Amino acid sequence: MKNSPQEFIQKTFSPMVAVISSTAAENVCQKNNLSFIDLLRPFSRLTCEAQFRDPSGASIPVRGLQLCFRQVDHVPPPPPLARRMLDDAVASTPPSLPSNLRNSDDPNREEDVVDETHFPWFELWREEIGFLVVSSVEEEISTVERLNSLWKEVQKLSSKTTGGPKWFFTNSILKYCVVLHDESSSEPQRAEAAFSEVKCVFGVGCHLLRINSRKLNGNANDNEENGVIDYWVPYLPAQNVENAEDLLLFKEEVHDPASDSIPMQKDSIPEIGEEASPDVDKDDTDTSSIPSLSYVVQDHPLSPETEKVSMAGMNEDSENSSTKRYGSIRKNQAVMRGAHLSNADIENIKAMINDFCTRSFIPHAERLMQILHEGISNRKGMSRSLFSATKRWFGGNRPGLQGPPVPSISYASDAPELQLRRLADLCFLLGHYSVASDAYRSAKRDFAADGAWTHFAGALEMAGLAAYLHWNSPGLSQSDPTGSSAQGVGPLGAVVGGGPSSLEAAKKAIEYFDQSVLTYLNTCRMYNLATRATLLASEVLLTPWAGSKHGEAAASLVRLAGEDSDLRSALLLERASLCLLSFRQPLQTSVKLKTSSTNALQSLSPGQETAPVTPNNLTLALSASSKALPRKAALHAVLAGHRYSKAGHRPHALRCYAQAYKVYEGKGWRLAEDHIHFAMGRLASHLKRPENAAHSFSLLLSPSLNPPFYVSAFTPSPTTNQPVSPSASGPVLIPTRNQPPSQQAIFLKEFLNAQIQLKMKDTENSEKKSLPVLPIPTIEQGSVRVLLGSSPSLPDTHQQINDRVQLASGVGFGSKVEEDGNIGWAKLEENLLLAAQGSVPMLFMPTVQLYSDTTDNSISPIGVMGEPVLVQIRLCNPLGIPLPLSDIRLLWMHTPQSDSKPPTEKSSTSSDDNTSLKDEGCKGNGEGVVARTQVLPSIILAPTSNQEVVLSITPLCMGELRIQGIAFRLSNPTPGMQDTSKLSSSDSSSGNLMVEAKSPEKLWDIAMSVAFKGLPTELVGGEIRSCHIELRNVGLRSLPLRSLFVATPSPNTFCFGLNSSHADKRNAVKTGDVTLAKWRNSPVNNELGKDNVRPLPPGVWKLGTNSIAKRDGGEMLDKDSLLGPGQGLIVPMWVRGPEGQGEKSVSLSLLFYYEAADELHVGTSEIQKGSFQRSPRRPCHRLVRHSWKVEMLDAVELRGRGGGSIGEVLPGCGSSPQSLSLTLNLKNCSPSTVRPGVGMVSEVNLLRASLASLHWAFAPKKPILPVEVKLGAQESVNLLFKAHRSEDNNPNEESILFSDVLLDETMNSGVSLDPHTQHWALPAMPFSYQSRIGEEGKTGKSSSDIGDDDRAEEATITSSAESSMPTRLDATLILRWKALVKWNTMSDGAESMTKEHWAFGQHQVSIDALSLTPGSNHSILGGGVSWSQSTLHSLPNSVSQMTPLEVLQRLVTHSIFHPPRVIHDFSHSRLCLVPVKLILQNCSNYHLVVEVQTSSLGGYPANKNQLYSPHPSGQFLWVGRISAMVNLLPHASSQEAITLTAAFPAPGTYNLASRLSVSCRQCIDKKDKDVMLSLDKPNTLESEKATLEGSIELGSKDLRTHLGKDAVTQVWRVESAVVVVGA
Amino acid sequence: MATYYFLIVGHYDNPIFEMEFTSANRETKKEDHRHLTQFIAHAALDLVDEHAWKTGNAYLKTVDKFNNWLVSAFITSSHIRFLLVHEPKNEDGIRNFFSEMYEVYIKYSMNPFYQVDTDIRCAAFERKALFLARKYLTG
């Protein structure tokens, strides 16, 4: 079956036999649905051995002679017809385009090439060598007569001037008579009789052919059952095709219009210049005539053999499949060929052919050869005629050069010049190639000498072919195996026997071909012949014998691809492309182009498994020598595609482009790719293949969807075999299309057209409508965010004004995740849960409302029925043209809950076009029933831009909702195109888009709206603003709400309406200028005691229950504190501007919590318990967020410091002598000028000061103040307050003493200063509210940590000693002020508006311990300590029990009594004795033992170097009692004064304290050992010495007391100096 | 038409840099030809690879021809291919252009952040190419 090129050439140049058959004979054949010629066609091969003698007498074997039978009156079709038939032929072999054009192995791809390789075998052997006269036995007249009459017909035909058959050798025409015998219809005897009669008349050249011997059973199936092969399958695929193919053969010869006028024979092969001479009869004494065939019939191009001959890279499978297909086609036609033929008949036919060849044809040829040889030998003596010699001299222009067409000399058909050529032809035909080749060459020389260029070229061509066939004939290879192997190796490996000559011959042959083509082209202008020669030559060039010169073969083919015929050019170009693709495999001896070219194809297709070509040196080296030229091939394929499309053969064009694209694919040749895509798209759309068209156009528009294949080579694979995620390659590698916008607009237009086409097709075909996926606009990965449970009306924060009611901002797309992290919503929620439910679930999952690529998306979010799910998508337009989108909506799919309903999935994806969206969409697709989507009417994406789109969907049913993508319509932006195409796209590429939203349970149908009234947007630090929160139950299912909580990360900023019952107004006493009141620590009427037991985490308030909140109607909340459906609740709220923020905007946040008060709650909690069984988490609470920005201005700074002293008992202050000096420093630190966007405080007025403490109250005396305190910018004021200890020794732990003093004289105390405050203690008190005030024995109880962070921090220190901190003051000084604030609103205009208003605010300083100076930095409240720290401290801590020294320092205060000035006459007495009374005061809560020691040593040595000592002297002695031990009860002073006596030696100023030390310790019997305070060393305040001028502190190290190690030596500053004056 | 189309092709036949140089006096009137030059350049790669093994020179001179378009090539030692599709013959200029461009490319590829075979997107590189083209080709 395998056909090598030589067989192919032999076959195409097989001898032609003309056939004429009688009508009756044809009828016999027609029983088989075959003509006689067709009947013979499969068997037209010599199957037996034959041999002939060449003129030299040598016997030459003839093998496998192939004959071609041809109707004698066959007339080539006229040129236009021929051209059309070529078209048809090409078109009729449609490449079955796979739906996916990228599939390369198109089995039909090669068939065209087959067509092409075969079409121009014309007129070389136009002479019919033999003549079959066929008659039938069934003639009415006798067979002989019939044969004779047929013969006459032939003669008549021959006598015609044009169109008749041309005889090879006019003088002797071989005649062979065949008598057909139809076995089925006549008796064999009659046939025998007729045949013998014929035999008598015609002699040996007769044959009786019996056919139709098979008995027909009437069933065509017998044919196959009996195993009869349908021999005609490969030959006659379809009648029409066959005709076309036949005609195709002539296309080229008639192609050139210039040659139309002359008989085509004239410009063809030289022998046939003239018509056959009419005098056949005379010459032929024998009545047998020898018609010479005039036309070469090729094998049918679709036969598998020829396919093999072609360079096709087809594999066997595809061949088989194609064969099968043709078989099936034929069978489909229901034409059963050969139905009447039995195997014997087939054998008969074969025998007839053999008989014809051996007995008639070969002897005839032998005879002819002899004749010709003799003629040539006779002429040899004459050498060259003078004429030709001169001709050569003058007209010896070399052929092949460009020049005007040289008039060619044509010879008469029997001209002697042609004799040699004819001899060569005969030898060639019979396979005697060496002789033929020689003969051709000598003929060529003759023709060249004569200037008969056409003949010359023909001879050249044939010489080349003959040489090729000679060196590749099977005989040679058998006789000389080394030679054959040498052929296989090619030029490189040509070593042994015959190799060199073979090589030379090959070179020569190639030269011949080249010259021949050039002569045809340039000299003769016979493109058709040139084409033929080229095709043959390329065939030869590809063989290893010629060196596998693929490039040259391709070049020769391309050379022929001229402008004149698109189709021919296309065929040639494609052929050239294939030549370039196939490459030689050096080690193969036989030609296996098939496999090699498949390899080439495989190496081409980058998508295959083969690793990407690594450009190492080895492969490169190979590529240099033997690699195919795929890139060149691709170019030619593109060109071929172009020509095909110009010629109107779109399927082929499409195929070519698709083939070429494989080379370009994914390499980044974008312009080329675009061109190919565009061409493919257009072709596909013309071919009504909208899928392919749409695919191509979408590739055209999209920024390359798949990254170039080499990218994967770069990215280091992450150790495992995980596929490289597409996102890893990233958008960085996506090249932007660099087409100009106009081009992109065209692309878009075509793309839309294709989509419309596709849709039309889809709607015709199936009811299933799937949305096309459009490449543009792209959805930015990771930009998709899903928002659940947003407030019904989208909050727009820009439009809110302070006065207006403002809805809670909730969660919006604007809120950033990082911000959330700062605020810590999750922590807040946890706190809220803790507060509301008492515990946090084991696996606490914070409620997520906004899902983005950074959130944990492993759990599908839970949406609420009736509440919209918002999806934000960023659309990206990579093109340079605007993209108008309209009707943008979400695509979703809904799966109902499995237990409730049968799982019928409803989705919106099928709602494709407009009508179905509107009509069916409502019913069939569940739109409006299952879910409701919001349709965005239209947007226009600007060129190369991003735009964010928010789409919403509202689930209306329970179940699983899957959002699959977005659908939109894309219309053409170009104004010329008005028809907006309705297109949709679903993008499934983004996994993020797959949001599963479970519809909620009933519990979830609760909703609370939170609105704010008068939320401040700009605050001065410390400013207090009052506003209202309105809570409203807006749930659909009318369930009451309960457990309203609110939490904030900044607890010191907010205060919610506390019950006024905290303030006990009745107790308000006014003493002097100070108002005293008691503040209850807990509400009076504690109706919800249980709830109160549960400590609230910091920053969490419970709303509604114990607040002064009111319902709409003014009524209080229910007893169960439920918020009924539709009810509202107004809660007052105070906002205090956080301090220490400087000038910046601060984000304040609130998180509201609520849950449904329903019996369902029980069920929910059960479910929660069962959450270990992995049941779906069902949240039973909901949250509302609010977060807003406040512009801050830090203006007022307050420092405070407290010092204790024992003074006289002030009137009205009870009996305790303890008093407290509070030093305050207030500074207005606002900038002095107004800057844009930043406010300033131009004036701060003090309004009132309050002290909140358990024991301390302001002294009733009014502090000394200027009349009006007005602090301008950067001014400060110092204030001194005096407080005294309340006489109430057993204070009510639940109430706090609250003393208030009016600082502003102009104000009346009765007038409410701040219009927002309802009570004068509100809101000052809550803000300064410290739970630990009076918390002794109450630690860990309610609201232990509400309060300032700083204080909480300090609390950890002080309270750590388990209330053992006796020095603690636990006092908070609150200073309230009003400030004139100027805000410079940032206006757009040049002049900025300055807004002025009075702001009311407060600052507080907590004074904890006496000796502390809390006025340092951390007394500025509301510092930037984040709340998380405060929660840390909320834990009951185990800080070291060791009390810090400085806290202990003020355990004991003293009062020293002595005359300040003593006048003493030292002359009178050398010593001045001064009595000093010391009264000790225990300010702590502990029983202390105090030891007073005086020292005779110590003191400062007098500085001798200085004349004047700035310090008071310590040079004195204590005399008399020098020590004392005193027991001091808590808060008690020593019963009697300790009397000491100091002796002063000289006048001067003495520091009494210099030799006085006091040690104290706790009374051990009262406290446990571990509470014992111990101190290793006394505090020596040496460092302070320099700073404290005028007073001396002495740390007397030597003063060891007998109090023991655990005693504390207390050294304090004594401001008491005695002045001794000499009298 | 003095138009030069310059192209750097990576190891995977991927263009990593492309640029078109036109004489200043001529306006680019042929947007539609741009894909053709890509086709030509791509097809020439076959021949460039072939030529690369026939000569030791980096400059391969004119390796291919398509209609009136010539393709000159230059191959670096790391087998990065420079192509120039042009019409007028300008051997010396092209040689100089290539060798200087080679230098520019070497410098660029030494950038540790540049990965071989990836696109070159660098304004400085483009400027340099433009400058060299003006110097040797169009100017």
Side-chain angles (χ1 to χ4, degrees), chain A residues 1462-1473 1543-1548 1550 1620-1623:
Chain A
V1462 177
I1463 300 169
H1464 181 73
D1465 183 9
F1466 281 94
S1467 61
H1468 177 257
S1469 166
R1470 295 288 299 273
L1471 286 175
C1472 171
L1473 296 178
F1544 300 99
Y1550 296 91
V1620 179
V1621 183

Side-chain angles (χ1 to χ4, degrees), chain A residues 437 441 460-472 476 483 486-492 494 498-515 536-549 552:
Chain A
S437 156
R441 261 179 285 175
L460 277 175
E461 183 187 351
M462 290 312 294
L465 283 177
Y468 167 71
L469 289 175
H470 170 63
W471 288 105
N472 290 280
L476 187 69
Q487 299 159 14
V489 172
L492 294 177
S501 64
S502 160
L503 243 187
E504 266 174 36
K507 235 194 232 164
K508 205 84 180 156
I510 292 164
E511 255 175 48
Y512 284 163
F513 282 130
D514 204 39
Q515 215 173 354
L536 285 171
S538 70
E539 203 69 35
V540 174
L541 276 173
L542 290 176
T543 61
W545 178 72
S548 301
K549 295 192 165 59
E552 286 172 29

